Amino acid sequence: MSIAPAALRLTGTAVCLLLLAAQTTTASAAPPLPSRAVATTDPVPAADTWSAPLSTRGRYIVDAHGDRFRLKAANWDGAQGSWTGSGSVTDPADHHAGQNSYGIPLGLDRVPLDGLLADFHRLGINTVRLPFSNDMIHSTTPVPDIAVGANSQLRGHTPLQIFDAVVDALSRSGFAVILNNHTHTSRWCCGIDGNERWNSGMSTRQWADDWVFMARRYAAVPRVVGADLYNEVRRDVLDDPNWGLGDDHDWYAAAQLAADRILTEANPRLLIVVEGINWTGVPVDGLPHGRPMLTPVRTLSHTIVDAHKLVYSAHFYGYTGPHHSGATGIGETHDPRYQDLTRDQLATALDDEAFFVEESGRHFTAPVWVSEFGIGAAETNAAARAWFGNITDYFAGHDADFAYWPLVGFEGHDDWALLRYDSAGHRTGILDSGDWRAAAWQHLMTAPSAAGPVPDVATWRMLSTDHGDAVESLRVRETGDWDPGAHKAVCPDGLRLVGLSHTAGRGLCTDGGAPDLRTSGADQTVVVDERHVPAGGDWASGYTKLQCPPGGFLIGYSVRGERLSAALCVPGRVPLSGAGRTVWFDRSDNRPVDAAGGDFAYGDYKGQCAANEYAAGIAFTTRVGSRPGPDALLCRTLP
């Protein structure tokens, strides 16, 4: 979410109590542009022909037919709230840019809903990111009639009911809709505002419950395709969010919990969008601070119950930076902003903070969606204008998925909006020749892009038992707790276990780019001893071997502390009896030379079967003085 850079934007920052007194926002006025248009209700066809649901193949999002679906999106904000947190909530002057949204998507007071959608099509976008607040979900008070002045059919409705109507209309009009939990309270984001974390002011369980409610509510709306879990996770006054520490501030774990609950309890069709951490530390020169974004994904990536539903996201604005909060005055450091970087430096920052995730053949490989970027039509700063050209060029050259912020605004108030409407419904904005942003926007929208069928690629996913279970197989979940008291890890359905770490409790799963190796039945075997090791088949002499029954392969394991507890095996759908070899990793890494899957246990010894193999056994030792974790894998050649 953007605020004009001249204002104090505390994007994911906290300067402890020093900054509390400095939270202000200013409206940014734009002079009328010479070209004006009246919103029309003339039907405009959808920009793309596509079929829901969406899923992922490597770095790409694909539709139900396996064709590339590039998110060419914009943010239709308002339902997340617009009050700045000071002054009267009823005074428009105390709302962002003087725009009181009344807790519903902006513009419904000025333009009929079908007229707004027609203008959205004229932009060429195919997707709308639709922010909402938890307050909106629970509000039972109808919005005032003035809030829907151009849409009388919505009078007397609550914010959630109006959100329903907007979602339905977008879907019917051909747009993909991605729901975004933007805030808890209905107020403008993103400073020290009570909305810093997913569980600011509410428990993680309550937050996930609200997501299950929303995902269920729109499960029958065909073009609701995604759940963007939370916006700009950042530091509050006292504490930072983290990625994987297992405490109450662990964004990695919270996103994992919500993702699996959405897919198992509400709507298995949805893409799950996980944004990186937007800010940690205190923005004062000499103190640690910065914008981690997606950098933690290199060493700890998500594996959810559907291996083809994960999308990562990040936000980029010119007046923020890798270590710059975006503030002016208090909270401003001497770190460069993104708009201060050269074209090459900006590209390096984008690669390092986000787009490395699209590298093929890694445990973290996923599409990256820049779900917010933007700039004002009245911007005169040469560096800011150059940044906008550079970043849109980067997105165009990298065939990136993107979403502009914001889509709709009021003329004379928010000059950042792609489309601005006056009180009579007249439209100005980026569709007009006088808008300097138009050339960069058109370049981004029309640049060559991958299209058509996306080939199947090998999928790689990490398992982590750092702080509990990681059972990501729906079929295994249905069987109950297969090793009570242990931390259990199981690959998502369709993937098999091919790698383990010596001490860190990490695993690596893959499908090798081939169909599911498992038989269609529900059979599985929990192996806790050597009963399936055949006579004369000692592949790890002197070590305890947990070997799958004949024809079986590994999909999971369990640990108690560092000690291996059990192996989970399932039968193959085809005969499995290939030649075997022992892969030792008790004293060093032993992985394929192509490093497929990437480093799934950074800093620990790892063993891994080749992509054309399956794992059929795990060996470990209980000798005094030895580590009790896995020491070797039995790898067999696939048929």
Side-chain angles (χ1 to χ4, degrees), residues 68-72 126-127 395-396 399-402 444 447 449:
R68 167 77 186 290
F69 185 84
R70 184 183 183 193
L71 300 181
K72 295 183 176 182
N126 59 19
T127 303
F395 294 164
D399 198 5
D401 298 278
F402 60 87
L444 175 59
S449 177

Side-chain angles (χ1 to χ4, degrees), residues 8 10 19-25 84 86 187 190-194 196:
L8 174 58
L10 307 179
L19 287 185
L20 287 173
Q23 292 183 85
T24 60
T25 58
T84 59
S86 61
R187 60 165 292 184
C190 293
I192 306 172
D193 54 12
E196 296 86 359

Side-chain angles (χ1 to χ4, degrees), residues 20 23 58 91 145 268 297-298 515 619 621 625 635:
L20 287 173
Q23 292 183 85
D91 187 349
D145 288 352
V297 176
R298 292 183 188 274
T621 182
C635 298

Side-chain angles (χ1 to χ4, degrees), residues 82-163:
S82 56
W83 183 51
T84 59
S86 61
S88 172
V89 72
T90 62
D91 187 349
D94 296 322
H95 289 251
H96 170 67
Q99 303 174 145
N100 187 349
S101 73
Y102 297 98
I104 62 175
L106 283 165
L108 297 174
D109 59 333
R110 298 171 178 232
V111 185
L113 182 53
D114 57 356
L116 289 167
L117 302 188
D119 284 347
F120 298 172
H121 282 302
R122 290 185 176 89
L123 288 171
I125 62 173
N126 59 19
T127 303
V128 172
R129 182 178 185 244
L130 203 58
F132 67 88
S133 73
N134 297 83
D135 278 356
M136 182 209 76
I137 298 174
H138 300 287
S139 175
T140 59
T141 303
V143 302
D145 288 352
I146 191 175
V148 290
N151 291 273
S152 59
Q153 77 279 12
L154 299 178
R155 290 179 181 174
H157 287 53
T158 66
L160 181 57
Q161 291 170 333
I162 293 170
F163 198 81

